[in-house]
Amino acid sequence: MTTPPHTANERSYADLGRLGVEPLWRYYRNLFPAEPHSLAVPFLWRYHELRPHLLHFAQALSLEEAERRVLMLVNPGMQDPPATVNSLYAGIQVVTPGETAQAHRHSAGAFRFVIEGEGAYTTVDGARLRMRPGDLLLTPGWSWHDHRHEGTGPMMWLDALDYPLVNALEAGFFETYDQRSQDIRAPRDLPASQYVHGRLVPAWDTERATASLVGNHTWEETRRAFDAIAHDAVGSDVDGIVLEYTDPWSGGPVMPTLSCRIQRLPPGFRGAARRRTPGTIHHVVSGRGTALVDGRTLDWRDKDVFAVPGWAWCELTNTSRTEDAFVFSYSNEPVLRALGLYRETLTERMG
Ligand code: GTQ
């Protein structure tokens, strides 16, 4: 056995790795950066470019050959494992008339936001939820879900899951249901009809669920909420008229890990810049505008999706002089808040 020399030369480092140790001083700055540096980059996915590919695979690949027919929106900085921003995923799913996407469940939380088509529904823990453009359908972690299309024409929606976060926490579980689709155990859209009564919510369920019991938030309900807000309401400097989808019982986010929002940017709106720790995925419901993200301009229009990495500066503009823009977005903000890791900074708008 040799005694290490009293100089920190390469030889003295050579044996460390196989002993399962590393010198902290060589890693320190990377492990404790002054501020976060996301691997994700600002990125925009144009729906009109993706749509023909979705339609191609809708013809070319049967749902028997794929668990789900989805194009994943993979951030160029986050390819392995694929993710859209650090902790979150987005994909666009296509289902054709007569198809059923196999029932399954996973511990990752998920939801759908419908982009186009009519006549499909998703069944969540035996409750059938209709899907229409602009609707938000929740499939909280570990709930059984299958999708069935009984309409005409293709049906496309945005899928969101937090599997990048769940897998990083090594808490990912998955099961396939023993039938292709679940039997319907509850009348259509029952959860919403039982649980949404404005500020009065049912108190008979003593066991609190970890996620909202309201499985669907229709575009009609969202539209009504916006219509009830005066058109000259001031809203947020950063986000305009921004609304959070909530669990009616807790008043908190719809799922323990996921916050879902929808914002209305009035014509010509130019938001103040902000950065915040959660990476955020945006989906444009309607309108056109720009997102200036860490100096990069993303030109968005209806049905596009764009990624804003965590701690990136972001400034949203509605470039239309006449039309409102409606933008849906989601993040793991509840996770960061629960862990004391939520931070944001704002700048005053220049000029
Ligand atoms: O529809 O259940 O985009 O399990 C990725 C994983 C959709 C789904 C995705 C999934 C689903």
Side-chain angles (χ1 to χ4, degrees):
M1 190 155 147
T2 56
T3 316
H6 295 295
T7 52
N9 57 21
E10 282 313 311
R11 237 200 108 240
S12 60
Y13 288 108
D15 290 339
L16 295 181
R18 70 181 172 81
L19 297 173
V21 295
E22 292 294 342
L24 174 62
W25 57 93
R26 288 192 160 186
Y27 290 83
Y28 206 86
R29 281 290 158 226
N30 287 336
L31 298 179
F32 301 95
E35 57 181 46
H37 300 286
S38 185
L39 290 174
V41 297
F43 200 80
L44 174 82
W45 291 265
R46 293 184 200 286
Y47 187 70
H48 77 90
E49 289 180 354
L50 303 182
R51 195 175 182 277
H53 296 278
L54 289 159
L55 295 178
H56 167 75
F57 284 106
Q59 298 296 318
L61 183 87
S62 80
L63 264 194
E64 277 66 37
E65 300 168 83
E67 181 81 21
R68 292 293 188 263
R69 192 193 291 111
V70 178
L71 292 181
M72 308 172 70
L73 307 186
V74 182
N75 192 291
M78 306 220 62
Q79 301 195 338
D80 189 24
T84 311
V85 292
N86 62 333
S87 57
L88 281 175
Y89 155 92
I92 299 180
Q93 181 158 173
V94 56
V95 179
T96 63
E99 286 187 318
T100 301
Q102 166 70 46
H104 68 203
R105 64 177 174 178
H106 31 71
S107 51
F111 63 78
R112 340 265 142 220
F113 192 93
V114 183
I115 302 174
E116 59 171 298
E118 287 277 334
Y121 55 85
T122 186
T123 304
V124 183
D125 280 343
R128 199 190 224 215
L129 308 173
R130 188 166 31 178
M131 305 176 90
R132 287 181 168 169
D135 290 358
L136 171 67
L137 297 312
L138 307 181
T139 48
W142 215 234
S143 54
W144 294 111
H145 53 285
D146 58 79
H147 318 306
R148 167 115 192 113
H149 189 6
E150 293 189 343
T152 53
M155 185 93 201
M156 268 82 92
W157 62 78
L158 178 79
D159 282 319
L161 285 93
D162 57 12
Y163 75 73
L165 173 69
V166 171
N167 290 348
L169 295 171
E170 299 182 344
F173 294 88
F174 178 92
E175 273 181 3
T176 303
Y177 198 64
D178 58 11
Q179 294 170 205
R180 189 156 179 86
S181 55
Q182 300 163 73
D183 297 328
I184 310 298
R185 288 188 282 105
R188 185 186 289 262
D189 299 333
L190 171 79
S193 64
Q194 274 200 347
Y195 287 97
V196 177
H197 307 286
R199 286 180 292 177
L200 288 166
V201 299
W204 63 79
D205 269 325
T206 48
E207 288 271 335
R208 295 274 45 90
T210 52
S212 175
L213 295 166
V214 179
N216 61 333
H217 294 262
T218 63
W219 181 249
E220 196 190 321
E221 172 195 331
T222 305
R223 198 71 238 197
R224 252 188 281 126
F226 279 118
D227 287 348
I229 297 170
H231 228 91
D232 56 359
V234 179
S236 146
D237 278 359
V238 175
D239 282 318
I241 304 296
V242 58
L243 306 177
E244 170 111 9
Y245 293 89
T246 58
D247 173 342
W249 218 91
S250 67
V254 285
M255 285 186 246
T257 54
L258 286 159
S259 156
C260 294
R261 293 192 177 157
I262 179 112
Q263 66 200 106
R264 178 175 79 196
L265 307 176
F269 176 86
R270 184 176 157 213
R274 176 189 57 205
R275 58 178 172 177
R276 49 186 217 137
T277 42
T280 306
I281 299 170
H282 296 76
H283 165 65
V284 184
V285 179
S286 66
R288 55 176 63 218
T290 59
L292 178 60
V293 187
D294 270 354
R296 214 179 293 190
T297 301
L298 307 175
D299 259 298
W300 47 258
R301 51 166 298 167
D302 53 299
K303 301 184 172 59
D304 291 348
V305 179
F306 59 95
V308 177
W311 210 240
W313 285 105
C314 178
E315 187 185 299
L316 294 175
T317 300
N318 175 358
T319 50
S320 168
R321 295 274 147 217
T322 52
E323 301 290 315
D324 285 332
F326 289 92
V327 181
F328 172 82
S329 64
Y330 60 105
S331 74
N332 289 122
E333 181 176 327
V335 175
L336 288 146
R337 285 199 186 275
L339 301 180
L341 297 171
Y342 184 85
R343 287 200 197 193
E344 62 172 40
T345 59
L346 305 170
T347 51
E348 293 296 316
R349 193 172 355 175
M350 308 272 213

